[in-house]
Amino acid sequence: MSTNFNKTTNGTQTTSCFDPTARRIGYTVTYSLISVVSVIANLLIAIIFYKTKTLRKSINFFIVNMAISDILLPIFLITPYLTSLYTEDPWLISGPVGVVLCKLVMFLPHVSVSVSTESLVLIAIDRFVAVVFPLRSPLISSRLCPFLILVTWIVAMAVSFPYLLTMKLVEYPDGLVCERKWIEAFGDSSSLKLYNVTVFTVSFYVPFVLIAILYIIICLRLKLQKKPGEPSINIERQRARRERNVLKMSVAIVFGFALCWFPYTINWLLTTHFRPENASCGFEYFTAIAFLLAHSNCAINPCICFIFSVNYRQGFKNLTRGSLVFNNDVNTSESVVFQRRRASESKTDCLVSDAHVVQINCID
């Protein structure tokens, strides 16, 4: 990780390999698009969830938590960087406000990333329990979700707290610069590398491995799952639909998470441990792409929700029509349960049907 705000957001220490005008235009268009999509899409996710009671399920609590945290990235990281592209001074705001902003532009984006990854882990755990243990009561209930959401923010802030202590506004002949002064705060440069390695391990590698394992088990469970008794045609269709949704959602989450953050971690490992003084243009291009992918994750997450969730798509349609009440056909799976319950004489069949529908509703 870079100790300078501009280097951290830019992703390159020099611009010799980039045409200055093309670089400015390309970065402005790309990061502006990411910011607009992220803010609008994540706000839509939060509004639809708030206005639609049928979405008050554990998985959607965590999706909204992730959406709210993703809004912090374009506001506190991308916006200051876009501003720096068109100004000669490294840092524009001085005084107490400038000091506070210097700390927040590094602290809050790291909090955002940590909250997002923690939310993805909780979603994976919720899906794992719902699919692998369908007849058990949910491990994460709707009442427990606010507490877990609070925990994600507390943990993320605790992990990122050193940024509040080390980010300082330093005055140079060319102007003010927002830098991380680790040695001044902790007096040991070796602890910086240990902290960075720990943060990357806890915030990326461990969550990614855990998410991958859980979704692999989910996919295997769905492949090997036996069909219940003699299900009705509707129940069988719902079961097949649930399998497709779980598989698609799991692949999208794991692939999107890895695609956005894995190149960034590789770049960090190379720059931290090998420290290329005169990096080639190829390495600078890779660095720019790695940072771009990492920053785009805040816009990709809500798009995944709209692509794979029927309820969020229906909520968006209702929002554009000025109505935020779901039609009855959105939760047809619930009516299938009640019809099955009234028509069935077997209590076991009802339980099996309920289990399938619970899983379907959690995915949608």
Side-chain angles (χ1 to χ4, degrees):
M1 283 186 177
S2 174
T3 59
N4 184 286
F5 167 75
N6 290 329
K7 291 179 182 179
T8 302
T9 53
N10 185 354
T12 57
Q13 296 185 10
T14 66
T15 58
S16 59
C17 297
F18 297 87
D19 178 78
T21 302
R23 170 180 169 272
R24 184 181 294 110
I25 295 174
Y27 275 31
T28 300
V29 173
T30 304
Y31 280 98
S32 296
L33 179 62
I34 291 174
S35 297
V36 171
V37 172
S38 175
V39 172
I40 294 178
N42 284 302
L43 283 176
L44 285 174
I45 292 290
I47 292 172
I48 292 171
F49 172 82
Y50 177 75
K51 294 292 185 178
T52 310
K53 293 183 178 180
T54 53
L55 287 175
R56 306 293 172 82
K57 300 179 178 69
S58 57
I59 184 173
N60 293 315
F61 275 95
F62 300 131
I63 287 176
V64 172
N65 186 45
M66 186 168 54
I68 294 174
S69 69
D70 283 342
I71 295 177
L72 297 177
L73 195 63
I75 294 176
F76 288 96
L77 186 63
I78 296 179
T79 299
Y81 171 60
L82 290 177
T83 302
S84 69
L85 290 176
Y86 296 91
T87 59
E88 295 181 357
D89 297 330
W91 190 263
L92 297 177
I93 304 175
S94 59
V97 176
V99 173
V100 172
L101 290 177
C102 174
K103 295 179 180 295
L104 292 182
V105 294
M106 292 302 293
F107 172 72
L108 290 180
H110 282 81
V111 170
S112 170
V113 174
S114 296
V115 170
S116 294
T117 54
E118 291 173 48
S119 298
L120 289 176
V121 171
L122 290 173
I123 291 173
I125 294 174
D126 180 74
R127 291 290 77 238
F128 174 81
V129 175
V131 174
V132 178
F133 306 102
L135 299 181
R136 296 183 181 180
S137 58
L139 178 65
I140 304 176
S141 63
S142 297
R143 293 183 179 181
L144 184 61
C145 286
F147 171 75
L148 292 177
I149 289 174
L150 178 62
V151 170
T152 62
W153 285 90
I154 293 176
V155 171
M157 290 181 181
V159 172
S160 305
F161 184 73
Y163 284 99
L164 292 178
L165 301 178
T166 58
M167 295 305 298
K168 298 182 183 296
L169 208 55
V170 183
E171 186 174 359
Y172 289 98
D174 295 336
L176 295 173
V177 177
C178 181
E179 291 184 340
R180 181 165 63 173
K181 297 294 185 178
W182 184 274
I183 297 179
E184 292 183 8
F186 296 99
D188 184 9
S189 60
S190 62
S191 61
L192 173 59
K193 182 178 293 187
L194 177 62
Y195 170 76
N196 287 334
V197 171
T198 302
V199 168
F200 266 92
T201 302
V202 174
S203 299
F204 176 78
Y205 295 111
V206 173
F208 178 75
V209 171
L210 178 60
I211 290 172
I213 292 174
L214 291 177
Y215 279 118
I216 289 174
I217 295 175
I218 290 173
C219 293
L220 293 176
R221 172 69 175 180
L222 292 174
K223 292 293 184 181
L224 300 176
Q225 193 173 41
K226 296 181 180 180
K227 300 180 181 180
E230 295 181 353
S232 64
I233 296 178
N234 289 334
I235 293 295
E236 178 59 25
R237 288 177 179 175
Q238 293 294 333
R239 187 190 67 83
R241 173 172 169 268
R242 181 211 58 195
E243 290 182 356
R244 291 194 300 269
N245 286 345
V246 171
L247 183 60
K248 291 178 181 179
M249 180 69 78
S250 63
V251 172
I253 290 177
V254 174
F255 181 76
F257 187 65
L259 177 64
C260 290
W261 287 107
F262 195 64
Y264 178 84
T265 61
I266 293 178
N267 177 265
W268 176 82
L269 289 172
L270 292 176
T271 55
T272 300
H273 296 282
F274 296 96
R275 300 182 181 277
E277 296 295 337
N278 298 316
S280 63
C281 287
F283 183 78
E284 289 195 20
Y285 296 149
F286 170 72
T287 300
I289 294 173
F291 273 72
L292 175 62
L293 288 174
H295 293 157
S296 66
N297 184 249
C298 61
I300 292 176
N301 284 334
C303 293
I304 291 177
C305 295
F306 283 112
I307 291 173
F308 291 96
S309 175
V310 175
N311 283 352
Y312 281 108
R313 291 199 301 270
Q314 183 63 43
F316 177 75
K317 293 178 182 178
N318 292 335
L319 181 62
T320 57
R321 297 169 186 167
S323 173
L324 284 168
V325 180
F326 269 23
N327 294 327
N328 291 332
D329 58 349
V330 176
N331 291 312
T332 53
S333 55
E334 292 183 0
S335 62
V336 170
V337 173
F338 296 130
Q339 294 173 7
R340 177 73 172 173
R341 184 172 297 168
R342 288 194 296 266
S344 177
E345 295 180 356
S346 173
K347 183 177 179 180
T348 302
D349 287 344
C350 292
L351 290 175
V352 172
S353 300
D354 285 349
H356 284 298
V357 174
V358 166
Q359 296 173 30
I360 294 169
N361 288 340
C362 289
I363 288 298
D364 290 340

